[in-house]
Amino acid sequence: MDPRPETDPQPRATSAVVVTAESKHRSRSLQPTVLRRVGGVTLLDRTVKVLCEAGVTRIVVVAGYRSEDVAATIHSHGLPVELVVNPDWQQGTSTSVLAGLQQVDDDRCLVVMGDHVFEADDVRRLMAAPGRNVLAVDRDPQRQVGGLGGVPPVRVRTAADGRLLELAADLKEYAAVDAGLSSVHVADVLAATADAPAMPWAAVRRRMLDHGFEMTTCDFTGLWAAVDTPDGVRALERVMWHRYGPKPTDQIIARTVNRRISGPLTRQLLRTGLSPQLATLLAFATTLLASGLIAVGDRWAMAAGGLGVLLGSALDGVDGELARVSGRASRRGAALDTLLDRYADLAVVVGLVIGAGHTETAWAWGFAAGCGCLLISYIHAVGRDTDVRLLFRREVRLLIFALAAISGLPLWGLAVVAVAANLDTARGVVLLLRAMHT
């Protein structure tokens, strides 16, 4: 069969075959690799979510080893996929790929190795890449993500124009490595394997090259990895936290204090599957308890409460980190976090007021500090689509409150926050009005 000319327009791949069947060297595992938790969720959940985000409309999951476990997970998690069980999975990955492609009606289809982690932006680029058959590759030799702690990825040699020339695990000279995803013309795969025995997926693509079918490459620039071993999972989660955990808007307190506490906690909690919403409630409860200790007014209780406020501030970053690393971020979770943060802020203010003797002066400063805390949050919410960012962020305010409680000077903490927060609010109003006018 002759390949279609390179100039012919190619349909966009909107279907995907996800191969979850184990290769022979992993078949003794007690759990399918695709059900291994990475970043708090199974690889299967993560793969399906990323593919859906990228615009894939139909996903066929091909299971082999312990297919009943895969089926149970699909059912219990409500995953929008079609399941195909391949009884010949031990004969080679090609049997699972073919079992999935036979269910697809489209001319083009994504073939995804289920033991890989990748990002939606890269998948979108692969789906839109020109070419009849396209292999996702990573050309950066300095990246240490792919193949973490396990089997090295297949090496790829390409021409200057991106055409695939050769791929094998033992290539001496190569320009990139296989990232585990391909966009293929279904007829080409079927033709290349029509008279061939079962084989690994890499061998199928080599046969496609030998048959003269056009194969090009698409560069993956985001995070991707092949998850082969438990040690690789731990290393990958560290990489994922560094990529997704901190936010670009983090200021110096968040970077140097809070993230140093929240990071290790998040990486440990990822292994438990703790939901981001539960982490939000945990941070809120910690801050409430700390506020109660401050309100006692006793020197040591107030100091303990101040330390609790610091801990609650750090824990407030855990829920967001869990959500971003696990891919479970949602507007509902963000709204819950924002609302509870406001209640927690006011609880700390009231705790300091009572700890300071709940005098008229303390209540006056407390009212001003509470207004500043709420208004700064409101300005950020109103100016969400602008570049207006205030300086007196929540972690700064809580740090001042905590230091005031630890040092036994609650009134001073209220006064400093009241003055600084309201000045920052006035500045923010001016910037916001200018931005909206523009």
Side-chain angles (χ1 to χ4, degrees):
M1 177 178 178
D2 294 329
R4 184 179 299 179
E6 189 172 334
T7 55
D8 283 2
Q10 300 297 327
R12 180 185 175 91
T14 58
S15 300
V17 170
V18 178
V19 178
T20 71
E22 304 288 291
S23 56
K24 289 183 179 180
H25 75 279
R26 299 179 193 165
S27 60
R28 296 180 182 178
S29 172
L30 296 178
Q31 181 189 56
T33 303
V34 75
L35 299 185
R36 183 173 290 159
R37 286 187 176 273
V38 177
V41 296
T42 68
L43 280 170
L44 182 58
D45 283 278
R46 183 181 294 275
T47 296
V48 171
K49 184 176 187 300
V50 172
L51 290 177
C52 290
E53 286 180 357
V56 174
T57 57
R58 185 185 181 190
I59 302 174
V60 177
V61 174
V62 184
Y65 174 66
R66 297 185 70 93
S67 58
E68 65 279 4
D69 293 344
V70 177
T73 299
I74 290 173
H75 177 72
S76 62
H77 293 191
L79 299 181
V81 304
E82 303 168 34
L83 177 65
V84 174
V85 177
N86 174 27
D88 302 322
W89 64 272
Q90 295 188 74
Q91 297 182 21
T93 315
S94 65
T95 63
S96 295
V97 173
L98 293 174
L101 292 180
Q102 289 169 1
Q103 305 298 316
V104 176
D105 301 325
D106 300 337
D107 291 335
R108 296 191 73 197
C109 180
L110 297 181
V111 176
V112 181
M113 296 298 105
D115 58 354
H116 280 58
V117 168
F118 44 88
E119 295 182 338
D121 286 343
D122 281 332
V123 178
R124 293 189 192 99
R125 196 158 43 249
L126 176 63
M127 294 169 66
R132 187 173 175 88
N133 299 283
V134 186
L135 172 69
V137 300
D138 185 355
R139 296 181 183 275
D140 187 351
Q142 302 301 320
R143 288 163 59 98
Q144 300 297 319
V145 178
L148 277 173
V151 180
V154 174
R155 298 172 178 179
V156 176
R157 187 166 66 88
T158 63
D161 60 359
R163 287 182 299 109
L164 186 64
L165 300 177
E166 191 177 5
L167 73 162
D170 56 353
L171 284 181
K172 299 301 181 184
E173 297 183 4
Y174 60 99
V177 295
D178 180 10
L181 291 84
S182 303
S183 176
V184 301
H185 200 279
V186 176
D188 293 355
V189 178
L190 297 179
T193 56
D195 59 347
M199 64 187 74
W201 177 229
V204 172
R205 290 173 292 177
R206 282 196 296 270
R207 283 184 64 87
M208 293 171 67
L209 283 175
D210 295 339
H211 281 64
F213 293 114
E214 172 202 345
M215 296 193 72
T216 58
T217 57
C218 173
D219 293 356
F220 269 25
T221 57
L223 183 147
W224 73 273
V227 183
D228 297 319
T229 66
D231 290 340
V233 172
R234 302 287 85 82
L236 175 57
E237 287 178 341
R238 287 193 294 272
V239 173
M240 293 171 71
W241 180 85
H242 284 290
R243 181 170 178 83
Y244 304 126
K247 296 189 292 187
T249 56
D250 282 350
Q251 294 181 330
I252 185 169
I253 300 300
R255 293 195 305 269
T256 60
V257 179
N258 288 15
R259 296 297 180 195
R260 292 181 182 274
I261 300 173
S262 64
L265 286 173
T266 297
R267 292 193 289 272
Q268 291 297 322
L269 291 174
L270 283 171
R271 304 173 189 178
T272 69
L274 182 76
S275 69
Q277 288 78 12
L278 192 55
T280 298
L281 295 175
L282 178 62
F284 178 63
T286 300
T287 307
L288 284 185
L289 177 60
S291 302
L293 290 173
I294 293 173
V296 171
D298 176 77
R299 178 71 180 83
W300 294 108
M302 191 174 290
L307 293 175
V309 170
L310 288 177
L311 179 59
S313 178
L315 288 176
D316 184 53
V318 170
D319 54 358
E321 293 171 10
L322 285 174
R324 291 188 293 275
V325 173
S326 66
R328 291 179 288 179
S330 66
R331 293 180 61 186
R332 180 181 179 183
L336 176 66
D337 180 51
T338 300
L339 291 172
L340 292 185
D341 281 352
R342 304 292 76 78
Y343 277 113
D345 290 348
L346 294 179
V348 175
V349 169
V350 172
L352 288 168
V353 169
I354 297 176
H358 52 86
T359 62
E360 291 184 359
T361 301
W363 279 111
W365 282 119
F367 176 79
C371 289
C373 293
L374 295 177
L375 287 171
I376 286 179
S377 174
Y378 183 73
I379 288 176
H380 280 152
V382 173
R384 185 177 304 167
D385 57 345
T386 70
D387 59 354
V388 175
R389 295 294 180 268
L390 301 188
L391 303 176
F392 217 60
R393 306 284 291 273
R394 184 172 191 259
E395 62 270 16
V396 179
R397 303 192 301 268
L398 290 182
L399 176 62
I400 293 174
F401 286 152
L403 293 178
I406 293 172
S407 60
L409 301 171
L411 190 60
W412 281 99
L414 293 171
V416 169
V417 171
V419 173
N422 283 283
L423 287 176
D424 202 24
T425 296
R427 169 181 165 273
V429 169
V430 173
L431 294 176
L432 191 59
L433 292 177
R434 287 178 180 177
M436 289 181 172
H437 177 71
T438 301

